[in-house]
Amino acid sequence: MKSIKLLVAAFFAAMPALAMAQDPGAGGMGVMGQVIFFAGFILIFYFLIWRPQSKRAKEHKALMAGLNKGDEVVTSGGMAGKITKVTDDFIVVEIADNVEVKVQKVAVAAALPKGTLKDV
């Protein structure tokens, strides 16, 4: 991520130098320069915004599909517990002895390693 930021900073730092190197009477970048600039903008947008977001969404979808009875999870609200029942859209999480809460699957933020709740 740091190398991408440095690459972007170097690209924008070099833009004034490229503009000064052109003929002053040219009146702009020209068609090819504009196409290259636009393509660079699209690549930056893809690598910094779209690709990481789609990767996170894919990982979260895989997490929701892999939830099973007995898994220990943390919800987006911060509750930690063990799954006691799984349905299509909801799970039942036991957060204390004989205390169960029904939660939407999409509210699960992370799956914990087995035995984590015993240590807490």
Side-chain angles (χ1 to χ4, degrees), residues 19-115:
M20 296 298 263
Q22 289 182 350
D23 184 20
M29 271 196 267
V31 175
M32 194 59 176
Q34 290 176 354
V35 169
I36 291 172
F37 182 76
F38 186 67
F41 184 75
I42 296 296
L43 283 173
I44 290 169
F45 180 78
Y46 174 76
F47 282 111
L48 292 180
I49 297 172
W50 189 73
R51 187 171 176 240
Q53 179 63 29
S54 65
K55 186 177 178 182
R56 279 191 295 271
K58 187 186 290 184
E59 289 172 355
H60 190 256
K61 187 179 275 190
L63 171 70
M64 289 188 310
L67 293 176
N68 294 319
K69 183 178 177 181
D71 290 346
E72 296 177 357
V73 295
V74 174
T75 65
S76 58
M79 280 194 305
K82 183 184 270 188
I83 297 175
T84 58
K85 183 179 177 185
V86 179
T87 62
D88 289 337
D89 295 328
F90 290 91
I91 59 173
V92 177
V93 179
E94 183 179 19
I95 56 175
D97 291 336
N98 298 323
V99 179
E100 294 183 341
V101 179
K102 188 180 266 190
V103 179
Q104 284 185 326
K105 275 187 174 182
V106 295
V108 174
L112 300 172
K114 297 273 185 190

